[in-house]
Amino acid sequence: MRRVGSVFLAETAVVVGDVVLGPDCSVWHHCVVRGDVAPIRVGARVNIQDGAVLHCNHGVPLEIADEVSMGHHAVVHCRRVGRGTLVGTRATVLDDCEIGQECLIAAGAVVPPGTVVPDGMVVMGVPGRVIRPVSDRERAYLRRVVEVYLDLARRHAEGGFPPYEG
């Protein structure tokens, strides 16, 4: 594990090109953040979980606001993800999408190109559709995931989880 300032990067994470990671971000095992065709800007306290991919179209920057959680194997290839949003496990957010604040993109959802998701909405399905507002219980969960990953990153960086040596 490695720290770059307050950013936690797993050894197998690949971050290349025009990428800025905000304070207290964590980029976990086998993630790829490729700012090779346009800039990628990631806010503070964002967790990019194992196997996630962040990329964008040529000349179309990607902005990830503060306190966003990217679930395991999420693919984020869009314009913007708003503050406090969770992109669930294996969810895919495609070209030119704009996701609002405090949204929940459900596990496995595929958000079609050009979709604009208003603040505070749940998106589910293939193709992904806005189905309802985020509940208070879900909002609390979105905040809790951010806190859990801040703690996990700190514990990993401090050597709390040494690699398996058989």
Side-chain angles (χ1 to χ4, degrees):
M1 307 304 156
R2 55 200 160 138
R3 280 240 183 231
V4 178
S6 66
V7 173
F8 167 79
L9 296 171
E11 289 297 326
T12 58
V14 176
V15 179
V16 296
D18 187 356
V19 175
V20 175
L21 299 172
D24 299 319
C25 283
S26 57
V27 183
W28 292 85
H29 307 279
H30 304 286
C31 288
V32 176
V33 182
R34 275 184 44 210
D36 54 353
V37 299
I40 296 176
R41 300 295 179 257
V42 178
R45 298 172 303 284
V46 171
N47 59 85
I48 304 167
Q49 299 171 22
D50 310 72
V53 176
L54 276 66
H55 196 234
C56 43
N57 278 340
H58 285 267
V60 180
L62 170 57
E63 176 192 349
I64 307 297
D66 296 345
E67 298 180 348
V68 168
S69 296
M70 302 286 177
H72 306 287
H73 293 274
V75 176
V76 177
H77 199 279
C78 62
R79 288 182 180 269
R80 184 170 195 289
V81 177
R83 180 187 54 75
T85 288
L86 183 143
V87 178
T89 299
R90 291 204 184 276
T92 302
V93 183
L94 293 170
D95 298 347
D96 297 321
C97 288
E98 295 186 26
I99 309 299
Q101 298 183 71
E102 296 183 334
C103 291
L104 174 55
I105 309 302
V110 177
V111 184
T115 301
V116 176
V117 178
D119 293 348
M121 300 307 269
V122 175
V123 174
M124 295 179 128
V126 180
R129 301 213 189 286
V130 172
I131 62 160
R132 62 175 171 78
V134 172
S135 70
D136 289 341
R137 182 175 178 205
E138 289 163 334
R139 262 185 236 289
Y141 176 73
L142 299 177
R143 289 189 297 272
R144 191 167 59 251
V145 170
V146 172
E147 294 303 320
V148 164
Y149 270 88
L150 285 167
D151 181 59
L152 278 171
R154 178 190 54 76
R155 292 170 59 203
H156 275 266
E158 291 172 352
F161 301 94
Y164 176 74
E165 295 186 19

